Amino acid sequence: MSLRNTNDRWAWPSMTLHWLIALLILALLGVGFVMVELPRSPRYFWVYDLHKSIGLTVLVLMLIRLGWRIYAGAPKPVPGTPPWQHVMAQAVHLAIYFVALAMPISGWLYDSASGLRALKFFGWFTVPKLVAPDPGIKSVAHEFHEWGAWVLIALILMHAGAALVHHWVQRDRTLWRMLPASFEKTR
């Protein structure tokens, strides 16, 4: 299997980054909605630090994915895809990239501006603050982070919904191209 994407399918580095980032984002969204209800305890701080560490991991993986996408290109739309669907897919992908990069940055900015204790990335090293404590920046970053979660959920639903429509309704290869070739053998 090629490292670079072909005209017909995504290569394994693209697939791995896609599914790893997707799983991490889904976990972050789930934990993000639950953690705000936790009572202040050692577990509370542990969950918040884990959320922040995974969020920064997503930021790094998204930057790698963006670089890889620029380097490796993308498959062409499957034959028969209407141009409007291709344009919509590109718009949703671009929006997902933007929000998936902006969410960890807004979280990091919120954490920095809040003046809370320094984050130890998975307990390994201290993450530098982006700004000094600032209530105005804290408020804007927090608001963006909360609304960004809902926007990201909407984009994920559109993206996954379109993939399922391609698979079950249009019965084309769009979804299969983002799955390892071994999945097709089980079909």
Side-chain angles (χ1 to χ4, degrees), residues 12-29:
W12 70 265
S14 296
M15 285 185 225
T16 302
L17 287 166
H18 175 273
W19 292 110
L20 178 59
I21 291 168
L23 287 172
L24 291 175
I25 286 174
L26 291 175
L28 284 168
L29 288 167

Side-chain angles (χ1 to χ4, degrees), residues 55-74:
L56 291 174
T57 301
V58 168
L59 176 62
V60 170
L61 289 173
M62 282 301 300
L63 291 170
I64 291 169
R65 182 163 182 202
L66 183 59
W68 186 258
R69 173 79 183 259
I70 291 167
Y71 167 75

Side-chain angles (χ1 to χ4, degrees), residues 25-46:
I25 286 174
L26 291 175
L28 284 168
L29 288 167
V31 170
F33 286 112
V34 171
M35 71 185 192
V36 295
E37 304 298 327
L38 292 175
R40 298 271 175 150
S41 69
R43 179 178 290 166
Y44 167 89
F45 294 106
W46 181 85

Side-chain angles (χ1 to χ4, degrees), residues 122-172:
F122 292 112
W124 299 334
F125 59 87
T126 301
V127 176
K129 299 287 188 181
L130 294 176
V131 296
D134 183 312
I137 293 173
K138 175 186 171 186
S139 177
V140 170
H142 184 256
E143 195 73 17
F144 183 90
H145 200 67
E146 283 190 350
W147 279 103
W150 291 108
V151 170
L152 190 55
I153 288 168
L155 291 168
I156 290 168
L157 289 173
M158 286 191 288
H159 178 66
L164 293 175
V165 166
H166 275 281
H167 186 72
W168 293 107
V169 177
Q170 295 178 330
R171 299 193 176 278
D172 66 26

Side-chain angles (χ1 to χ4, degrees), residues 71-89:
Y71 167 75
K76 292 182 178 179
V78 294
T81 301
W84 70 268
Q85 283 184 1
H86 180 61
V87 169
M88 286 298 296

